Amino acid sequence: MQNCARIVLNNKATRIAVVSASAGVTNHLVTLAHTAMTQEQIKDICSAIKAIEMAIVNQLNEPELVQDKLDDLLDEMAGLAHHEEILHRDDLKDQLLSMGERISSLLFSAVINEMGNQAINFDVRKVLRTDSEFGAASPEPETIAALSTALLMPEANNAIVVTQGFVGADEHGKTTTLGRGGSDFTAALLAEALHAQVCEIWTDVAGVYTTDPRIAPNAHPLPELSFEEAAEMATFGAKVLHPATMEPALRGNVKVFVGSSKAPGQGGTWIMRDCEDEPPYRAITRRKEQVMVTVKTPKMMYAQGFLQQVFAIIAKHRLSVDLVTTSEISVSFTLDNPANSVAQRLNKETIAELETLCDVKVEHGFDLVTVVGNHMQSAKGVSSKIFAAVADYNLRMICFGANPHNMSFLVNEKNSTPIVQHLHKALFE
């Protein structure tokens, strides 16, 4: 937190800091929100969260200044965790999941104040208006802009505003969340709303890498990315960026910087509308926990409207489909399926409805590997080099040609690590 505070204070142009939950807290909260437990087990997890937060508070010079407010938040959290309907009500889950960020913003504003600068802890729910899709709420940019101009801008003129990522509120004032990793998204939405020039994302790595360095040790940070490349990388699994972050940045033409709060001097990656260099291969991403759904009906042959019916059901359940392949009588597509997610719940409902229309086959155990780059459709030799690198592996689905920025494969989860390593060696080393 002190590292981050120094980064904020070293740049006088920084007016708003959006914070995530402390490490480990969100995982504990997800467990509380989704797992049936005894009262004693719930109490133990609440105590573990309190210990994480108190380790920070105890290092403040004047912990008593925040202790009462922290106790109130911890009491609210415990009350929600013990609520008899927590496992069955998505609105209560979102209230509980918001607690990590709400506690972080209280503590981070105290850290900045102790460094001799004025900071205020601002409740983002006053301005970040969303719909009521708890767990994966969609923001309403026009309302956010109007509320931010009226309520947030005056505060930012007088002090550094510390607020919460990931959290919003619907029109009835009920707490909503934007999905895991949503703090970047919040920052980009507020940057767009306030016509900011730059949105800086300070994380645990020095920029966006050619691939995950834990998979390929020779991966290296990228000095620049276009919005389109970054959006593809985020969508297809680059953990450094939230998939939706690029939308408000692109709409508002807000430059995005990604750097490491542990090593701010190392530089990072700039994401902008136009890059000086547009190579055919920019990066490789992996997204785990994919489900392959194949719908099949003899009626599809020469029939009109079957695809429309299939995708109308998917749209109704608000699912995002990445890869699609079709044959004469069947369609295969991929769905994200992380455990305890909104997607997992919707997948079950969607598949049940599809089964009233046609035969449905559901296969698990896949990862999605994507090569991101530029002019991939039109540059000679681009696809052959990729296929040569993965020649020894079975590819279940291939998606290429729909846009110039990516080629994606669905692969068996046990093969995805060596596939990424082979691709990285062939394309970047």
Side-chain angles (χ1 to χ4, degrees), residues 150-164:
L151 303 174
L152 191 52
M153 187 76 91
E155 301 282 17
N157 287 333
N158 299 318
I160 292 165
V161 175
V162 178
T163 194
Q164 309 83 33

Side-chain angles (χ1 to χ4, degrees), residues 89-92 94-95 131-137 170 174-177 342 345:
R89 280 181 47 188
D90 292 336
D91 59 333
L92 292 176
D94 271 9
Q95 270 183 270
D131 64 10
S132 303
E133 187 65 44
F134 299 104
D170 67 8
K174 284 195 164 190
T175 301
T176 57
T177 63
V342 173
R345 186 191 81 230

Side-chain angles (χ1 to χ4, degrees), residues 272-291:
M272 60 197 89
R273 194 182 290 274
D274 298 305
C275 293
E276 289 179 21
D277 184 30
E278 294 187 340
Y281 314 112
R282 184 77 87 177
I284 301 161
T285 64
R286 174 175 70 177
R287 195 156 85 192
K288 299 175 77 67
E289 297 171 321
Q290 301 297 291
V291 168

Side-chain angles (χ1 to χ4, degrees), residues 258-272:
V258 181
S260 167
S261 57
K262 295 173 182 175
Q266 282 185 15
T269 303
W270 280 99
I271 303 168
M272 60 197 89

